[in-house]
Amino acid sequence: MIVAVTLSRYIARQFVFSVVAMIASLTGIVCLFDFIDLLRRVATKPDVSTNVVTEIAALHVPYFATEILPFGMLLGGIVCFWRLTRSSELIVARAAGISAWQFLTAPVACAMLIGAIFTTLISPVSSSMYRRAEELDQQYLRTGGGPLSLSSGSLWLRQSDSQYDPHGVAMLHARGVQLKDGLLRIRNVSVFRLDHQDKLMMRIEAPEGYLGTLKWILSDASVVRPNDLLHHVGQIDLPTDLTVNRVQESFSSPETLSVWALPGFISLLDRSGFSSIRHRIHFQSLLALPMLAGTMALVAAGFSMRPSRRGGVARMIGSGVAAGFLLFTVSKVAEQFGNSGALPPMLAAWAPTLAGLCLAVSLLLHLEDG
């Protein structure tokens, strides 16, 4: 038993080193392509400095590392177990009577621990940095539209407003929002209409309103201008290019919310009448990440522990990589089915992980028990 514990620690150490190195390498490659893409986008905006692009690319690093984690587990595990098999260390261990299940327990536990760390600790950092990157992207690189957010039941919106100034903007704040029967209603509305220099031209107060066709319709509204008194004007139509779908799509994306903030935001969306499917799938995917990491470690072991003397090592390793990408494809297809409502969010998030686990266990049973 002491030998098995010592061997498990050794294999776990080799596994963690290979996985961390692989995750870092793949993340670096992806970040490099992301940086190049940002440089391409900023090429048409001479007023935006390279420092902004560098900051946005740096803020994307934790997000890409989380996305790369399953592939890092798979490829790092394949490299680790293949090296141990090629050096005959695993062959000697199995000849000594130590089963694959014994010395794989520690690496799989390490994989699940790394997944849990990403879910509980890296996810909040990633979401915060990704949200900041989205703000910088919106401010410097995107054209048209404006930031829109839903928090604590309140709606904040910034949109173009050319009625009094060709380059003016309007900031709308609604303290209550509800989507019912396809109609977006807002309550206790304040609208600040600004010129191109962000100077206040007019403030509108209305107890309620709704989103019509290319306009906000505010009922029983009152208007006040600088150095003037508030006076009642009745209904006001505020032009907009928003639709109900665009409003919902503009809410905080799931990637900008940590695993701790997602349950509250999902409840808020449900209370407001908006669909929370995307956020539910992302939340369940974060919960499934530790299990997915452990599954990828088992898949890597199943495809790379075949003794070299039997031949076909390259084919087996290639099959492992192909299986990983197949699981990725299955996960994306399941996610699309989940977003369309064809699958429950929990099933869409967990089904690929469970399918990969069944594949890995089958491979190891065949390899170990013939």
Side-chain angles (χ1 to χ4, degrees):
M1 187 65 181
I2 296 177
V3 176
V5 171
T6 304
L7 179 64
S8 296
R9 289 177 178 174
Y10 171 74
I11 296 175
R13 186 167 60 249
Q14 296 293 323
F15 175 81
V16 171
F17 176 79
S18 296
V19 164
V20 171
M22 187 61 68
I23 292 175
S25 301
L26 293 177
T27 302
I29 294 173
V30 173
C31 289
L32 176 61
F33 282 103
D34 179 58
F35 182 70
I36 294 173
D37 181 66
L38 290 171
L39 287 177
R40 178 190 59 80
R41 293 174 57 191
V42 82
T44 58
K45 301 179 183 297
D47 56 325
V48 180
S49 68
T50 308
N51 293 334
V52 174
V53 175
T54 305
E55 183 178 359
I56 294 175
L59 291 171
H60 284 164
V61 171
Y63 169 74
F64 288 134
T66 304
E67 293 293 305
I68 288 295
L69 176 63
F71 297 100
M73 285 290 172
L74 176 65
L75 299 180
I78 287 177
V79 171
C80 172
F81 294 125
W82 178 69
R83 288 175 56 191
L84 292 174
T85 301
R86 188 183 61 173
S87 62
S88 300
E89 292 173 272
L90 294 186
I91 298 174
V92 172
R94 296 172 69 185
I98 302 174
S99 70
W101 304 107
Q102 286 180 276
F103 58 70
L104 284 179
T105 301
V108 172
C110 289
M112 296 183 69
L113 178 61
I114 293 174
I117 290 174
F118 269 81
T119 296
T120 57
L121 300 180
I122 304 299
S123 167
V125 176
S126 171
S127 60
S128 177
M129 295 177 67
Y130 194 84
R131 180 166 56 251
R132 175 58 180 164
E134 288 286 289
E135 293 173 355
L136 292 175
D137 192 295
Q138 179 70 53
Q139 181 178 356
Y140 292 103
L141 301 183
R142 296 181 188 175
T143 57
L148 183 150
S149 64
L150 179 69
S151 60
S152 303
S154 298
L155 176 70
W156 282 95
L157 166 68
R158 180 184 175 94
Q159 66 173 44
S160 60
D161 181 13
S162 58
Q163 185 172 356
Y164 296 100
D165 189 315
H167 303 287
V169 296
M171 297 183 63
L172 183 148
H173 178 216
R175 297 166 184 83
V177 56
Q178 185 177 29
L179 178 65
K180 188 175 183 181
D181 298 329
L183 185 64
L184 179 63
R185 295 188 177 276
I186 51 179
R187 302 185 305 275
N188 299 326
V189 187
S190 298
V191 181
F192 302 90
R193 309 183 81 167
L194 313 174
D195 63 12
H196 65 282
Q197 296 180 340
D198 287 341
K199 292 183 178 180
L200 181 65
M201 296 185 298
M202 176 192 306
R203 179 167 65 100
I204 303 174
E205 297 287 340
E208 62 180 2
Y210 64 93
L211 180 59
T213 303
L214 298 180
K215 60 183 177 182
W216 292 99
I217 301 175
L218 307 178
S219 305
D220 198 24
S222 299
V223 174
V224 60
R225 298 178 184 272
N227 303 319
D228 199 355
L229 297 177
L230 185 72
H231 61 278
H232 182 266
V233 296
Q235 178 176 308
I236 291 181
D237 295 344
L238 181 67
T240 183
D241 59 353
L242 290 174
T243 63
V244 172
N245 290 335
R246 286 192 60 187
V247 168
Q248 182 161 328
E249 291 172 356
S250 299
F251 288 152
S252 297
S253 62
E255 292 79 10
T256 62
L257 298 169
S258 72
V259 67
W260 309 110
L262 276 168
F265 193 79
I266 289 171
S267 299
L268 175 60
L269 289 177
D270 291 338
R271 290 197 306 269
S272 301
F274 292 99
S275 173
S276 60
I277 290 179
R278 290 193 306 132
H279 296 79
R280 288 181 182 275
I281 292 177
H282 184 66
F283 178 61
Q284 293 297 329
S285 297
L286 289 176
L287 295 182
L289 190 58
M291 180 68 72
L292 180 60
T295 298
M296 286 301 188
L298 289 175
V299 171
F303 277 105
S304 58
M305 286 173 53
R306 179 175 177 173
S308 302
R309 60 182 176 82
R310 295 186 182 180
V313 175
R315 180 170 55 85
M316 292 293 290
I317 294 178
S319 299
V321 176
F325 282 99
L326 178 61
L327 289 176
F328 173 77
T329 302
V330 170
S331 68
K332 290 303 179 183
V333 171
E335 180 181 347
Q336 293 302 318
F337 275 110
N339 288 332
S340 66
L343 286 178
M346 182 175 292
L347 181 60
W350 284 87
T353 301
L354 297 178
L357 183 61
C358 292
L359 171 64
V361 171
S362 300
L363 287 171
L364 289 173
L365 285 175
H366 175 73
L367 181 68
E368 182 68 12
D369 302 323

